[in-house]
Amino acid sequence: MEDLDPRRWWALSALALSALVVGLDLTVLNLALPTLATVLHASTTQLQWIVDSYSLVLAAVLLPAGLLGDRFGRQRLLLGALLLFAAASLGCAYVTSAGALVAARAVLGLGAAFVLPLALSVLPVLFPEHERQRAVTISVGATVLAFPIGPILGGWLLTHFWFGSVFLINVPVIAVALLVVGLLLPESRGADRPRLDGIGIVVSSLALAGLTWGAIQAGQNGWGDAGARAAIGGGALLLAGFVAWERRVGRRPGGGQPLVDLALFRSAGFTWGTLLATIVSFAMFGLLFTVPQYFQAVGGATAMGAGLRLLPMVGGLVVGAGVADRLARRAGAKLTVALGFAVMASGLLAGATTSVDSGDGFTLAWVAVLGAGLGFVMPTAMDAALGALTRERSGAGSALITAVRQVGATIGVAVLGSVLNAGYQARLDLAGLPAPVAGAVRDGVAAGVAVAHQLGSAPLLLSVRAAFVHGMDQLLLVCAGIAVAGIVLALAFLPRRSAVVAPAAGGEPASEDEVVVRG
């Protein structure tokens, strides 16, 4: 496919749809959990596994998925992953037990583990440098768009149809993506076919699954939880062992193709682009976990209304990304990303002054400013990382970027959730309440509001809402500090332009990538 062939933009639309459907699956499920608990008689533990089975499989398979795309063909595996995702969505829609839904969600995670890195990996193949950031913006924007669309669409479906409808919405979107990917996306793969690094695949999968599981447990049970600490510690040790093994494989003649090309970390663009994009994911997913709760518990909005109130974030992201695309070509990634973090910090600091009496107008304004900052930072940082990849190893490199961001996002929800809960519980006034009632209120703002309504207690309702806003303000201050750190790191380490790094072993220059052009 020639660089000027307009079909590449249609192919990008299919990749964006693929990212959108993965994001929708995450946001819609949260709305459906209360219904699933009733219809499938799911316990709290089963509900937890319905959510976590997806995340664990996703984390475990990301790295080998990218390498397999390089080896066997990115388009071919992307088509297979989309078909698998569609089949698993149908399975989720028609399950009759909680255990079956856990299994179907695990299969969904397997499909997503291939879709996410492969959709990203073809961008360096399809687009020249001057168009790549715009392509990344569209792909990232599709993921972010899923967060408001999920509650809006999911709320409507759950109101009018049975719970399976929230999974069936994936199917028509995937059908369109399959058609466009099959017709317009060129097949591409690495020119070499060295044997796979089996030990690296196993060790990396266990390491990422351990880190993810530990972060999930810490978010639910607190950082003092022994199981969470053991999982995170074990994951970290396995990760260190994985790096040592990859160094050995990379140096050994005929020893197989390393799962991770450690030479990529010689590139400041790849290293700091990936880390800065991860910092944004850390903050963004924590915020997207918190802000909808504010709209619902404090503002009284429905799930659909909370989704509508997130649309200014998407609007800000679109505007910010458009400005950043032009600015990055003139001033470079360093200044663009630093400016984006500054915009984020200003929005977050404004948000940290939110009170129970703050109106929707104020909240929507700082959410829009935050979205603009995300639009500056995320596509530009991602483009800096992708710019260091050869086409030969774009699948493995994109999988590494995606894996780091995924783990960072999971840890972000856990850490920022802990900040939110600590602030919330510290400000609650539970004097005079029986111990079981007080315990229910401490569990979270949704439970606290429900208890206050059941008791008909206006003072308790005010206390719960004020305590949650206090916790949210503390969370926003932490995120503002992270954004300020992002400014410093971008100015200190991120280069203006990212240089392509040749693979350490088994790689060829970008021009040698095997690309099969259709039509």
Side-chain angles (χ1 to χ4, degrees), residues 410-506:
T410 304
I411 294 174
V413 172
V415 171
L416 296 178
S418 298
V419 173
L420 174 67
N421 288 337
Y424 168 71
Q425 294 175 3
R427 285 295 179 94
L428 285 172
D429 182 4
L430 302 176
L433 290 178
V437 175
V441 174
R442 288 193 188 95
D443 281 344
V445 65
V449 169
V451 169
H453 283 309
Q454 289 171 1
L455 297 177
S457 174
L460 178 59
L461 181 61
L462 179 61
S463 172
V464 167
R465 288 176 169 170
F468 179 81
V469 171
H470 172 71
M472 186 181 77
D473 289 346
Q474 297 300 305
L475 180 150
L476 293 174
L477 283 174
V478 171
C479 289
I482 293 171
V484 171
I487 299 172
V488 175
L489 293 174
L491 291 176
F493 301 110
L494 191 66
R496 290 186 73 251
R497 301 277 183 249
S498 189
V500 173
V501 176

Side-chain angles (χ1 to χ4, degrees), residues 153-440:
L153 185 56
W156 184 83
L157 288 171
L158 287 171
T159 301
H160 295 90
F161 302 98
W162 98 111
F163 78 90
S165 61
V166 301
F167 297 106
L168 289 182
I169 60 174
N170 295 337
V171 177
V173 180
I174 292 174
V176 175
L178 281 168
L179 180 65
V180 181
V181 167
L183 293 177
L184 298 179
L185 185 67
E187 182 60 284
S188 63
R189 61 178 70 90
D192 285 351
R193 299 289 186 276
R195 64 186 178 88
L196 296 176
D197 175 17
I199 293 178
I201 289 174
V202 173
V203 175
S204 68
S205 296
L206 292 174
L208 292 177
L211 290 172
T212 301
W213 174 249
I216 291 170
Q217 289 296 100
Q220 293 171 345
N221 304 327
W223 291 93
D225 182 77
R229 288 185 293 178
I232 291 174
L237 288 174
L238 284 171
L239 193 61
F242 169 69
V243 171
W245 173 257
E246 292 299 285
R247 290 182 185 277
R248 179 182 176 185
V249 172
R251 290 194 301 263
R252 189 171 62 191
Q257 180 170 302
L259 187 60
V260 171
D261 186 359
L262 297 176
L264 285 171
F265 292 102
R266 294 202 302 262
S267 165
F270 179 85
T271 301
W272 292 101
T274 299
L275 290 177
L276 292 170
T278 302
I279 288 174
V280 176
S281 296
F282 181 104
M284 183 177 71
F285 279 86
L287 287 166
L288 291 170
F289 169 76
T290 304
V291 174
Q293 293 186 69
Y294 167 77
F295 288 137
Q296 292 177 267
V298 179
T302 63
M304 188 182 302
L308 288 170
R309 286 166 174 79
L310 286 175
L311 288 176
M313 178 181 288
V314 178
L317 187 145
V318 171
V319 173
V323 175
D325 183 43
R326 294 189 292 271
L327 180 62
R329 279 181 275 169
R330 296 181 180 180
K334 178 191 291 284
L335 292 178
T336 304
V337 170
L339 178 60
F341 274 118
V343 174
M344 281 183 63
S346 65
L348 291 164
L349 288 172
T353 65
T354 300
S355 69
V356 175
D357 299 321
S358 297
D360 276 355
F362 172 74
T363 306
L364 297 180
W366 70 257
V367 165
V369 172
L370 175 60
L374 291 172
F376 268 82
V377 176
M378 183 66 83
T380 311
M382 292 280 288
D383 183 61
L386 287 173
L389 301 180
T390 64
R391 295 183 180 184
E392 172 76 17
R393 296 299 305 277
S394 66
S398 297
L400 179 57
I401 296 169
T402 306
V404 174
R405 287 181 58 217
Q406 177 68 25
V407 173
T410 304
I411 294 174
V413 172
V415 171
L416 296 178
S418 298
V419 173
L420 174 67
N421 288 337
Y424 168 71
Q425 294 175 3
R427 285 295 179 94
L428 285 172
D429 182 4
L430 302 176
L433 290 178
V437 175

